Amino acid sequence: MTVSTAYLCEACGQGIRILEYRSLDGLAIVPESIDGKTVISLAPYLFSIHENYNDEPHTGAFWWSAVKERVSVEEIKDLPQVKGDFLTELRLPCGLRQVGAYALYNCGCLKRLELYSTTLDWGTGVFTGCVNVKELVIHADESVRSCLKEILAELKHTLTVTYDGAGKAVLIFPEFFEEAVENTPARILVTDTHGCGQRYRNAFVQTQFQFKEYDRLFPHVQVQEPEELAVKLALGRVMNPYGLAGEYRERYMEYLTGHRVSAACQAAQREELDILGWLLREIPYEEKDLKTVIEAAGKSGSMAAVSLLMDKANMERKGRRRRFSL
C-alpha cells in the first residue's frame, strides 16, 4: 500500500494526541478523529525542526494513515516529516483542545492557518518564528470563549482574517511592532508602539470580537497605513458585511468612492475579478477612470480584467448614446 500521509499517535485521555506528522505535501490537515477517537491534542514541537529534549518515551504510540487504518513503521519510513519550512498551510480540526508548546516554532514558510475558536489551550511560543502567516481562517462559536484574541496578539504582522461565525466577515489586521527606547535621564526604558495594528487587536470584550469597535478605528488606518491596505480593509468589510452597521458602511463606501481608481487598479493587477466586478457594479466610474484602470490592467498582463473593464466601458458609452437620443 502506498501511504501519502501518516500520523504517529497515542491515546490522550478520551482522545488522541498527534506526536509526528508525515506527508508528501506541505499542506497539513489534522484529522478530526483517528481510530474512532477525537484528535484533541498536538504534541509540543510537532511541526518544529527543533527537538523537544523533555519528551518522554511513547510506548503506546502507533502509526495511522490518512486512509484510516494502521500502518507499520516500514510503510512510512521514506515519507518525509512535515516540519519547519516544509509546512506551508495548516488546517486544524473542530475537536482540537490543545496545541503543545512551540508546536510551530520557526515554521517560516507557513502562510495560511485554519482553525476553530474553541481550541483554547495554546502552549508557550507556538507561533515564535512564524513570520509569514498572511491568512487566518477561524470558525467561530460566538456562544463560548474564543482563542482569536490570543492568536492575534501573537501574530503581529499584517493579517487577513476570514471570520466564519453566524455570518462571514473578512477583516484586515494591520501590522504593529514595539520598540524599547531608553530614557537616559530617568534611567528607564519606554516602549513605543508603531502602527495601528495593536488598536485593532484590542477590539474585544473579554474574548468576543467587537465589530463596531473594529469599524470605528478606520480613520486611524487612513492616516497611518498605505492606501492599498486601507482599500483592502474597506472592501473586506463591505463585501462581507457581517456585523457591519449602516453608518460604518457609508464611511467605507465614501472612502472607496474617493479611491475608486486605485481600488480597481489593485483588483485588476491581482486578477481579483470578483472584487473588480463588485466595484464596477457598486461604484460609479467615469470614462477617464476606466481608461486609467484598463491601462494598468494591460501593463500587468491581466487580459481577463481588461475584457471585464472594456465591457463596462462599452456599456457606459451605449448608455450615454441612448440618453442623448432621448
Side-chain angles (χ1 to χ4, degrees):
M1 179 183 69
T2 302
V3 178
S4 60
T5 301
Y7 330 98
L8 181 62
C9 320
E10 69 177 358
C12 176
Q14 298 299 312
I16 292 289
R17 175 186 291 119
I18 293 183
L19 306 171
E20 188 176 322
Y21 193 110
R22 292 185 176 234
S23 180
L24 298 171
D25 196 343
L27 162 59
I29 303 176
V30 177
E32 291 283 351
S33 63
I34 288 175
D35 201 16
K37 295 182 178 180
T38 302
V39 175
I40 62 172
S41 177
L42 303 183
Y45 292 89
L46 174 60
F47 294 104
S48 174
I49 59 172
H50 302 274
E51 294 293 332
N52 179 10
Y53 294 105
N54 296 320
D55 202 15
E56 299 177 356
H58 303 277
T59 55
F62 60 94
W63 284 100
W64 186 264
S65 78
V67 295
K68 300 182 180 180
E69 60 183 45
R70 293 199 182 212
V71 289
S72 66
V73 175
E74 186 67 23
E75 289 175 288
I76 58 89
K77 67 177 183 179
D78 294 325
L79 205 58
Q81 294 185 53
V82 179
K83 282 182 173 289
D85 289 346
F86 187 38
L87 179 67
T88 58
E89 182 176 344
L90 177 61
R91 299 178 190 172
L92 301 178
C94 178
L96 189 69
R97 295 292 174 262
Q98 179 189 49
V99 179
Y102 302 103
L104 298 170
Y105 182 34
N106 277 354
C107 291
C109 291
L110 178 64
K111 295 180 179 179
R112 185 178 187 273
L113 176 63
E114 183 171 352
L115 55 91
Y116 286 78
S117 65
T118 48
T119 303
L120 299 179
D121 188 352
W122 294 81
T124 302
V126 169
F127 295 105
T128 301
C130 296
V131 295
N132 286 306
V133 179
K134 306 296 184 187
E135 183 180 358
L136 175 69
V137 178
I138 184 159
H139 303 282
D141 183 343
E142 296 166 339
S143 66
V144 296
R145 221 179 127 209
S146 168
C147 65
L148 178 58
K149 183 178 182 180
E150 180 181 353
I151 291 174
L152 290 175
E154 295 293 328
L155 299 173
K156 299 181 180 181
H157 44 276
T158 301
L159 192 65
T160 299
V161 175
T162 300
Y163 182 99
D164 180 18
K168 181 181 177 181
V170 175
L171 310 166
I172 306 295
F173 288 85
E175 180 183 24
F176 80 97
F177 66 94
E178 297 171 329
E179 180 183 24
V181 179
E182 184 179 3
N183 185 330
T184 304
R187 297 184 180 180
I188 60 173
L189 288 176
V190 178
T191 301
D192 290 340
T193 300
H194 302 271
C196 60
Q198 188 177 56
R199 292 176 182 266
Y200 274 85
R201 285 164 173 80
N202 288 331
F204 288 84
V205 170
Q206 296 181 349
T207 67
Q208 295 305 313
F209 185 69
Q210 303 297 301
F211 289 97
K212 287 186 177 181
E213 177 62 19
Y214 176 95
D215 294 324
R216 186 186 67 80
L217 295 170
F218 188 58
H220 295 280
V221 165
Q222 292 176 254
V223 173
Q224 298 183 45
E225 301 295 338
E227 180 189 34
E228 181 179 359
L229 188 145
V231 165
K232 287 180 67 176
L233 191 153
L235 279 169
R237 288 303 283 134
V238 296
M239 291 182 68
N240 301 275
Y242 177 55
L244 179 60
E247 62 178 304
Y248 294 117
R249 185 183 191 280
E250 290 177 6
R251 293 179 189 178
Y252 287 131
M253 290 300 294
E254 181 181 356
Y255 180 83
L256 289 171
T257 301
H259 296 77
R260 58 190 179 278
V261 173
S262 177
C265 286
Q266 290 178 37
Q269 290 166 347
R270 292 194 293 261
E271 293 195 309
E272 296 171 337
L273 300 184
D274 56 336
I275 294 177
L276 182 59
W278 185 92
L279 286 166
L280 296 176
R281 289 191 305 273
E282 300 295 330
I283 293 177
Y285 282 82
E286 299 177 3
E287 185 174 0
K288 63 179 181 179
D289 298 332
L290 293 172
K291 183 179 179 181
T292 300
V293 181
I294 289 170
E295 290 176 356
K299 289 179 181 178
S300 68
S302 176
M303 293 301 103
V306 169
S307 177
L308 183 61
L309 290 159
M310 291 294 291
D311 289 344
K312 176 67 174 178
N314 290 333
M315 288 175 61
E316 290 295 314
R317 292 191 193 100
K318 290 178 182 177
R320 284 198 302 276
R321 290 195 194 103
R322 290 195 193 97
R323 288 193 293 273
F324 181 79
S325 64
L326 291 173

